Amino acid sequence: MLKSCCIYGTGLLSILVLIAGIAMVLAHVFLNALNSRIETEMVLENGTEAFAVWQDPPAPVYMQFYFFNLTNPEEMLKGERPAVTEVGPYTYREYRPMESVTFTDNGTKVAAVNPKTYVFEPNMSRGLEDDLIRTVNIPAMVVMERFKDHSFISRIISDLMTAGGMTLFVTRPVAELLWGYEDPLLKELHLIDPLLDDYFGLFYKMNGTNDGEYVFLTGKQNYQDFARVDLWKGQSSLNWWSSDECNMINGTNGASFHPVITKTERLYMFSSDLCRSLYATFDSEVRVSGIPAYRFVPPSEVFANMTVNPDNAGFCVGGNCLGSGLLNVSVCKEGAPIIMSSPHFYQADENYVQDVFGMRPKKEDHQTAIDINPLTGLVLRAAKRLQVNVFVEKLPVFSQTENVKTLVFPVMYLNESVLIDPDSARKLSALLAKASVVINIPFIVISLGIILGVVFMALLCCLRTPESTTAERQPLLTSKLSGE
């Protein structure tokens, strides 16, 4: 009787354990508990790992610049399409710690500035900072565009350019094109308008400086608000675009994201370089340094023309609506005819690619992508790729434009990239290993239930096997003793 009770007790226990394990799987008990703990700990406050990574990212950030060197300036002035060759990269190490950090509103918000400093890395570059690049004379294009409807001023500027030997093109070292040089035309105009800066550079006054004060949400009240931009330069929205939707400041600054990310959500980011917010959607599952990650990329509709995506109607400025894949940022670049796109006009209308000989868009090299660990929201690898273009057109009042064809001319593109450092990768791998054990506890319980069930069946079989009688245990043959 005692033996039977033990055996059937084992069977009952196996059933209970199996039910408990299956219930935990269906209810996501341990997964929800893990997510809840991660959501609670991922907060921007002193003493947390999340705050330390946000304030001073340990992973090195590199900025690569690729220039398009114009090879047929004379032919371009006659109306032929420009031919360019890509040169670079010219690589800089980027340092971007958060400074002037101040917590407000009971720790629910944090204000900070994010200065960026660039240091040239010759060993990671294909060329030196004194390499000469021929490109469109952007200061001249800016001035001509600004005064094209003022005939008297236009003639004066045209004569100044002719007397000074200034043309539609300029040849300058990489360092000057990036960080600034004294432009002869701007210098002349500076005498007339002292407020006009006589220096120009694509990143002029952007080395060692910040792009304004940010106010971030810490995630203390809602984990999905982790590092989300609440204010920029004291404003909760922009004022450059013609619709409230396009002027919205959404998401983080692209360096941090909230934990527990799903494949179905949109990740919003605000980019001061693009003067707008944008979003990325799930693309694929990848592994970075052995760590699982979700790859998010901006879909083509983010930069689509208003005919494709009506939500982008607010980005049409000055009645000039460009095709898909381009963004006219002249409204936030002091009127300069600057147009942003992906490198080599990737995902842009085909006519922009065909207008310039040398454009070869390729997804692997020219797509912006962010690889994020979905549990922690940490960025494992990212590549932000943007191209700076200038709008070129024939202006009859300026002889310098001659018969140039109206087009979008590519000047350079950048690749701002980051890869998780080995030390951080080891820490994250250890954390994920512990998390994996916690998540798999229900399956361990189910396995234990199965083992108990197997033991029960084995014991049951032994219980039902009849025992042999005394007669059955007697030998079939007996031998007589020799003395009988």
Side-chain angles (χ1 to χ4, degrees):
M1 181 67 69
L2 180 60
K3 188 175 182 180
S4 297
C5 288
C6 290
I7 292 173
Y8 287 107
T10 302
L12 179 61
L13 181 60
S14 70
I15 293 173
L16 293 175
V17 171
L18 278 172
I19 292 173
I22 293 171
M24 285 188 287
V25 170
L26 295 177
H28 305 290
V29 174
F30 286 90
L31 177 60
N32 290 338
L34 176 66
N35 289 347
S36 178
R37 182 173 179 181
I38 293 292
E39 292 165 6
T40 303
E41 293 183 353
M42 290 293 289
V43 177
L44 293 179
E45 61 182 11
N46 282 317
T48 64
E49 184 72 19
F51 176 75
V53 173
W54 171 84
Q55 185 178 32
D56 191 8
V61 181
Y62 293 99
M63 180 73 87
Q64 294 177 306
F65 297 100
Y66 297 80
F67 283 86
F68 295 107
N69 189 54
L70 179 65
T71 59
N72 64 338
E74 298 300 325
E75 290 78 4
M76 182 178 170
L77 287 176
K78 295 176 182 178
E80 297 184 19
R81 67 171 179 164
V84 299
T85 56
E86 181 185 301
V87 283
Y90 300 92
T91 305
Y92 293 77
R93 173 72 185 271
E94 180 180 324
Y95 298 89
R96 46 185 307 170
M98 291 289 181
E99 296 183 354
S100 302
V101 178
T102 306
F103 289 93
T104 60
D105 293 3
N106 295 321
T108 61
K109 298 180 181 180
V110 56
V113 294
N114 190 204
K116 298 179 181 180
T117 303
Y118 302 91
V119 179
F120 186 60
E121 296 282 352
N123 295 332
M124 300 178 66
S125 303
R126 191 175 297 170
L128 299 175
E129 287 186 298
D130 56 4
D131 289 354
L132 295 177
I133 305 293
R134 181 194 290 121
T135 187
V136 168
N137 189 342
I138 298 178
M141 283 302 308
V142 171
V143 172
M144 289 189 288
E145 186 69 26
R146 181 174 298 178
F147 296 104
K148 65 180 180 180
D149 297 325
H150 301 79
S151 57
F152 178 71
I153 299 177
S154 297
R155 284 196 298 270
I156 295 175
I157 293 173
S158 181
D159 291 341
L160 278 174
M161 293 181 65
T162 301
M166 293 171 258
T167 68
L168 188 62
F169 310 107
V170 65
T171 301
R172 291 280 180 175
V174 167
E176 291 188 1
L177 289 174
L178 285 176
W179 313 117
Y181 62 91
E182 188 179 52
D183 181 78
L185 179 59
L186 296 178
K187 185 178 180 180
E188 293 288 344
L189 296 177
H190 178 73
L191 299 175
I192 303 172
D193 183 4
L195 296 178
L196 182 67
D197 200 324
D198 54 353
Y199 276 79
F200 170 80
L202 295 169
F203 277 69
Y204 178 52
K205 291 184 178 180
M206 294 175 65
N207 194 349
T209 60
N210 64 76
D211 58 347
E213 184 185 63
Y214 288 81
V215 175
F216 301 91
L217 298 179
T218 63
K220 189 174 183 178
Q221 293 179 315
N222 186 338
Y223 79 95
Q224 290 190 321
D225 287 336
F226 176 81
R228 182 168 68 83
V229 179
D230 185 52
L231 300 174
W232 180 57
K233 292 185 175 181
Q235 303 295 320
S236 60
S237 63
L238 309 173
N239 57 11
W240 293 311
W241 312 110
S242 60
S243 73
D244 292 339
E245 185 175 4
C246 292
N247 277 320
M248 292 177 68
I249 296 178
N250 292 327
T252 70
N253 65 349
S256 306
F257 296 93
H258 68 78
V260 193
I261 291 173
T262 64
K263 295 180 181 179
T264 57
E265 67 181 297
R266 289 179 173 180
L267 295 182
Y268 284 89
M269 294 160 280
F270 170 68
S271 171
S272 62
D273 296 329
L274 289 173
C275 310
R276 60 163 291 184
S277 299
L278 63 153
Y279 63 86
T281 55
F282 174 79
D283 178 74
S284 59
E285 292 188 23
V286 296
R287 297 190 75 86
V288 180
S289 300
I291 302 171
Y294 289 170
R295 172 164 292 178
F296 280 78
V297 301
S300 58
E301 59 262 26
V302 170
F303 297 105
N305 182 272
M306 62 176 291
T307 57
V308 179
N309 183 2
D311 293 338
N312 286 342
F315 293 120
C316 287
V317 292
N320 182 18
C321 295
L322 300 170
S324 291
L326 274 66
L327 178 66
N328 185 348
V329 294
S330 59
V331 291
C332 59
K333 303 295 181 183
E334 299 181 355
I338 300 297
I339 296 171
M340 306 297 290
S341 70
S342 292
H344 286 254
F345 299 114
Y346 171 71
Q347 288 188 329
D349 288 345
E350 184 62 23
N351 60 290
Y352 296 113
V353 178
Q354 297 300 324
D355 279 346
V356 182
F357 182 80
M359 295 292 96
R360 299 178 180 86
K362 188 177 179 182
K363 177 180 178 180
E364 294 78 12
D365 297 332
H366 305 138
Q367 180 188 57
T368 292
I370 309 171
D371 298 337
I372 307 170
N373 176 252
L375 180 62
T376 62
L378 291 176
V379 176
L380 307 182
R381 178 174 57 199
K384 172 185 171 184
R385 295 169 173 135
L386 293 174
Q387 181 167 296
V388 178
N389 312 280
V390 61
F391 187 73
V392 177
E393 63 177 332
K394 178 183 177 180
L395 301 174
V397 291
F398 292 99
S399 60
Q400 287 77 13
T401 61
E402 294 191 20
N403 294 310
V404 68
K405 178 182 177 182
T406 299
L407 52 83
V408 178
F409 183 88
V411 178
M412 56 79 71
Y413 75 87
L414 60 87
N415 176 22
E416 188 177 27
S417 62
V418 63
L419 175 65
I420 187 170
D421 60 288
D423 186 51
S424 297
R426 284 192 295 270
K427 290 181 181 178
L428 183 56
S429 295
L431 173 65
L432 295 178
K434 294 178 182 177
S436 179
V437 172
V438 173
I439 293 173
N440 287 312
I441 285 178
F443 298 101
I444 296 173
V445 173
I446 291 175
S447 300
L448 179 60
I450 294 173
I451 293 172
L452 288 173
V454 171
V455 172
F456 165 70
M457 295 300 295
L459 293 174
L460 191 62
C461 289
C462 292
L463 179 65
R464 291 182 177 179
T465 302
E467 294 185 4
S468 58
T469 64
T470 304
E472 290 173 333
R473 291 196 294 271
Q474 292 296 322
L476 295 176
L477 297 175
T478 58
S479 59
K480 295 183 178 181
L481 295 174
S482 56
E484 292 182 354

